[in-house]
Amino acid sequence: MTETRTHGPADAAGRAGHPGQPEGDAETTLRVSMRNFRARLAGRPPAQRGHPHATTRSAAELAVLSARPHDGPREPYRAHVHWERGYARLVVLADLAACLAASGLAYLLRFGGFIQFAQTPTSSRPYLFITLGLPIAWIAAVALNRGYEHRFLGGGSEEFRRVLNAAVRLVALVAVASYATKAEVARGYLLILFPTATVLTLAGRVVVRARLHRMRRAGKCQHRVLVVGSGESAASLVRIARRDLTTGWNVVGVCLDRAPGLHSADRPDRAGFDLAGVPIVGTSEALEDAIRRTEASAVAFSPQIDGERLHRALWALEGSDVDVLVSSAITDVTGPRIHLRPVAGLPLLHIEEPELTGARRLMKGALDRTVALCVVLAGLPLFITLGLAVRLTSRGPAIFKQTRVGQRGKEFTMFKFRSMVMDAETRKADLAERNEGAGELFKMRDDPRVTRVGKFLRKWSLDELPQLFNVLNGTMSLVGPRPPLPSEVANYADDVHRRLMVKPGLTGLWQVSGRSDLDWDESVRLDLRYVENWSLAMDLIILWRTLFAVIKREGAY
């Protein structure tokens, strides 16, 4: 790839051969390249030239080379993502402010007389120096743990995991240093300092990330991404990039990994084609020129691209600050299930089976019941108030019972506050033409069967609170796939039945990703993704995001 930085057809042909090849052989090299290209299209083996160092060029590469101005060698391409540096500085300042606040709070609580401790240090001056110096050590620890690298900032849980690892290592370092130097450090001071610093740092990063996501939704702070792959796989990457605007992917072009020049901007007479609304700017054999043309800062390869072509692309992009991303052929499998296993020098992906039983499942069940019991006891007055509101404003019971399908296909009775009129099911057939859902789902934004109180309950997701009793009796979980109706399960495809391998959830990926605004295929994909990759950490993150989804009332109708 890097050998093609020439200008003009003669130079292109001359560089195609040996570096010392005379200019008189340029025309011969061009003819051989075109002849080989025609031979490939006809299914014949390419002609071999006698020169031992001759390299065959594709027609697309020659077309691009001939279109370049004759102005001498070009400067190496460098990607410029100016907002990343500003965002990284903002994160550093947020971490510094969090640690300063934690240090000041720990000093005031330990030595300010607000709390009486059994033992009091002879002097508080050393702790004053620790209070002022610890923020610097905190920033250094996070930096050494690579917590400020651009690829970890702004998305995913890896950013928070690195902060936690840095905090644990710094605590261990302070403990070892105190033991080695026999320094007497007030344990109450440290017990206040480090947990507070960790919590405030994580909270600060959540706030900064929320600001970044708002800017990305407004079309700012984005990466210019060039997608490389065959037609359908490239289109799939484009759709994934458009699915969530907070990822910051602005797909600026597509390079097709196919016969060069057929649908490519490398050929002026065949320009103007697009894939999923994104312009096709070249082929993978002229990748460097496509990157320059689109000013891309990242290149995303589909899994179908061959290893040799990927290696050439990596060599060509060395020193360009362009991020290289390779999509896995195994979609929706993430987290601890994926490990690299080297076999005969080849890095292979080892994919573990989803954990459906065992100790972690027992811990999940214990967490579900504990949290559900605490919420029910604390919210008992709210339950009574909502039940009376439903009962007194419309005819029928306050609690709506419906048969749903749970783990391993077992049916159970699900509880909800009634939000519809009593004859809602019989009136459903009359509203079939107004169904806004897809697949097996029936959804309407302005459903006439919903009562006045029911609209309020659905708006704030309060109608689902009685499902906490399902969590207590073990038929549901706090987090899991959406509980389906028996009529839905009867029409499931074979792979969709994997949703029933775990307990359905009061909330899940489907709820924090749009709920009723999702189409059927997207809802199924999110449920299957949870089944394949569930973990206690994921459950806690989903529960946290559920609070904001309820406040924003996204997809609640």
Side-chain angles (χ1 to χ4, degrees):
M1 296 286 291
T2 53
E3 295 176 356
T4 63
R5 296 179 179 176
T6 57
H7 305 277
D11 290 343
R15 292 291 183 91
H18 189 272
Q21 181 182 356
E23 295 184 2
D25 289 346
E27 184 177 355
T28 302
T29 304
L30 179 59
R31 287 199 302 269
V32 171
S33 299
M34 295 301 295
R35 186 165 60 250
N36 289 340
F37 174 64
R38 289 193 296 270
R40 289 193 190 97
L41 293 180
R44 300 191 304 270
Q48 300 294 328
R49 192 178 173 194
H51 200 289
H53 300 285
T55 304
T56 303
R57 296 243 173 243
S58 68
E61 286 181 282
L62 292 173
V64 171
L65 294 172
S66 62
R68 295 175 182 167
H70 188 74
D71 55 359
R74 294 181 298 180
E75 292 292 329
Y77 177 79
R78 297 295 295 270
H80 298 285
V81 188
H82 301 289
W83 65 266
E84 281 188 338
R85 296 181 181 178
Y87 182 73
R89 286 195 293 267
L90 184 60
V91 172
V92 172
L93 291 176
D95 290 355
L96 186 62
C99 195
L100 281 172
S103 300
L105 180 63
Y107 185 84
L108 289 176
L109 292 179
R110 185 62 182 86
F111 303 106
F114 298 99
I115 302 176
Q116 296 298 325
F117 292 88
Q119 296 181 352
T120 303
T122 56
S123 175
S124 62
R125 182 173 298 178
Y127 295 94
L128 181 60
F129 289 111
I130 295 176
T131 300
L132 296 177
L134 184 65
I136 305 300
W138 185 266
I139 297 298
V142 176
L144 290 175
N145 207 49
R146 304 168 70 180
Y148 297 115
E149 290 191 9
H150 296 158
R151 57 183 174 140
F152 299 132
L153 297 178
S157 60
E158 184 66 19
E159 175 183 358
F160 304 119
R161 189 180 71 84
R162 292 188 175 274
V163 172
L164 292 174
N165 287 345
V168 171
R169 292 175 180 177
L170 186 57
V171 170
L173 179 62
V174 170
V176 172
S178 300
Y179 177 79
T181 59
K182 297 183 179 180
E184 296 183 0
V185 182
R187 286 172 292 181
Y189 173 78
L190 296 179
L191 288 176
I192 297 173
L193 174 59
F194 284 108
T196 305
T198 302
V199 171
L200 290 181
T201 299
L202 294 176
R205 293 204 173 208
V206 169
V207 173
V208 175
R209 177 182 289 192
R211 181 176 181 271
L212 175 65
H213 288 177
R214 287 196 300 270
M215 297 182 69
R216 284 179 169 174
R217 291 189 187 98
K220 303 176 182 178
C221 298
Q222 296 186 338
H223 295 281
R224 296 178 60 84
V225 181
L226 180 67
V227 172
V228 182
S230 58
E232 182 53 36
S233 62
S236 177
L237 280 178
V238 172
R239 288 192 293 268
I240 291 174
R242 291 172 174 171
R243 185 178 297 157
D244 186 3
L245 297 179
T246 61
T247 57
W249 271 34
N250 177 23
V251 182
V252 293
V254 174
C255 281
L256 291 181
D257 183 27
R258 59 186 299 173
L262 293 183
H263 297 295
S264 171
D266 294 347
R267 292 286 298 271
D269 58 328
R270 291 172 176 168
F273 290 92
D274 65 84
L275 182 70
V278 178
I280 297 176
V281 295
T283 63
S284 57
E285 294 188 359
L287 179 61
E288 186 180 358
D289 296 277
I291 292 175
R292 289 180 181 273
R293 203 158 37 238
T294 58
E295 298 181 352
S297 59
V299 179
F301 290 92
S302 67
Q304 284 76 13
I305 190 168
D306 63 88
E308 181 180 353
R309 187 162 296 178
L310 180 59
H311 270 120
R312 290 201 304 266
L314 292 174
W315 295 334
L317 296 176
E318 284 182 359
S320 64
D321 293 335
V322 175
D323 293 332
V324 178
L325 311 170
V326 181
S327 173
S328 172
I330 305 297
T331 59
D332 289 334
V333 177
T334 60
R337 288 187 58 200
I338 297 181
H339 306 279
L340 279 178
R341 173 180 289 183
V343 177
L346 181 66
L348 301 178
L349 287 180
H350 173 76
I351 302 177
E352 298 179 357
E353 294 184 5
E355 188 170 348
L356 303 177
T357 58
R360 287 203 302 161
R361 280 292 175 186
L362 294 177
M363 293 176 60
K364 176 181 173 67
L367 177 65
D368 287 341
R369 286 179 167 85
T370 301
V371 173
L373 181 60
C374 293
V375 174
V376 168
L377 293 177
L380 192 58
L382 176 62
F383 277 69
I384 297 175
T385 302
L386 294 178
L388 289 174
V390 173
R391 185 70 180 85
L392 297 176
T393 56
S394 61
R395 184 176 58 88
I399 299 297
F400 172 71
K401 301 178 182 179
Q402 190 176 45
T403 300
R404 297 292 180 107
V405 180
Q407 189 177 18
R408 300 186 185 92
K410 296 181 180 179
E411 295 185 353
F412 69 96
T413 300
M414 188 184 73
F415 308 111
K416 297 180 68 174
F417 281 122
R418 182 173 54 83
S419 60
M420 290 186 174
V421 295
M422 287 295 296
D423 59 344
E425 288 299 320
T426 58
R427 294 170 58 182
K428 181 178 177 180
D430 299 333
L431 302 173
E433 295 181 355
R434 300 170 59 184
N435 181 19
E436 299 176 15
E440 305 301 327
L441 298 178
F442 182 90
K443 290 292 182 180
M444 287 182 62
R445 290 186 179 272
D446 296 315
D447 196 326
R449 301 173 298 166
V450 179
T451 64
R452 184 175 58 183
V453 174
K455 290 181 179 180
F456 174 80
L457 295 177
R458 290 189 170 200
K459 181 179 180 180
W460 296 101
S461 301
L462 296 174
D463 59 320
E464 299 175 0
L465 285 179
Q467 293 176 28
L468 291 170
F469 293 100
N470 289 112
V471 177
L472 289 175
N473 65 26
T475 55
M476 290 183 63
S477 176
L478 288 178
V479 182
R482 186 185 66 83
L485 292 166
S487 58
E488 297 177 24
V489 177
N491 295 322
Y492 274 180
D494 292 340
D495 55 346
V496 183
H497 278 88
R498 289 186 63 83
R499 300 172 74 183
L500 307 178
M501 297 178 68
V502 299
K503 293 180 182 179
L506 190 149
T507 184
L509 281 176
W510 51 275
Q511 182 161 11
V512 299
S513 302
R515 296 180 63 185
S516 298
D517 290 336
L518 301 175
D519 57 27
W520 170 252
D521 292 336
E522 183 67 8
S523 176
V524 170
R525 187 191 69 82
L526 290 173
D527 282 344
L528 293 180
R529 181 181 180 184
Y530 176 81
V531 173
E532 296 287 341
N533 305 285
W534 85 270
S535 66
L536 291 176
M538 178 184 286
D539 283 2
L540 294 176
I541 292 174
I542 291 175
L543 289 173
W544 174 257
R545 291 178 59 187
T546 299
L547 296 177
F548 296 96
V550 171
I551 293 173
K552 294 178 180 178
R553 306 190 298 276
E554 295 178 346
Y557 55 85

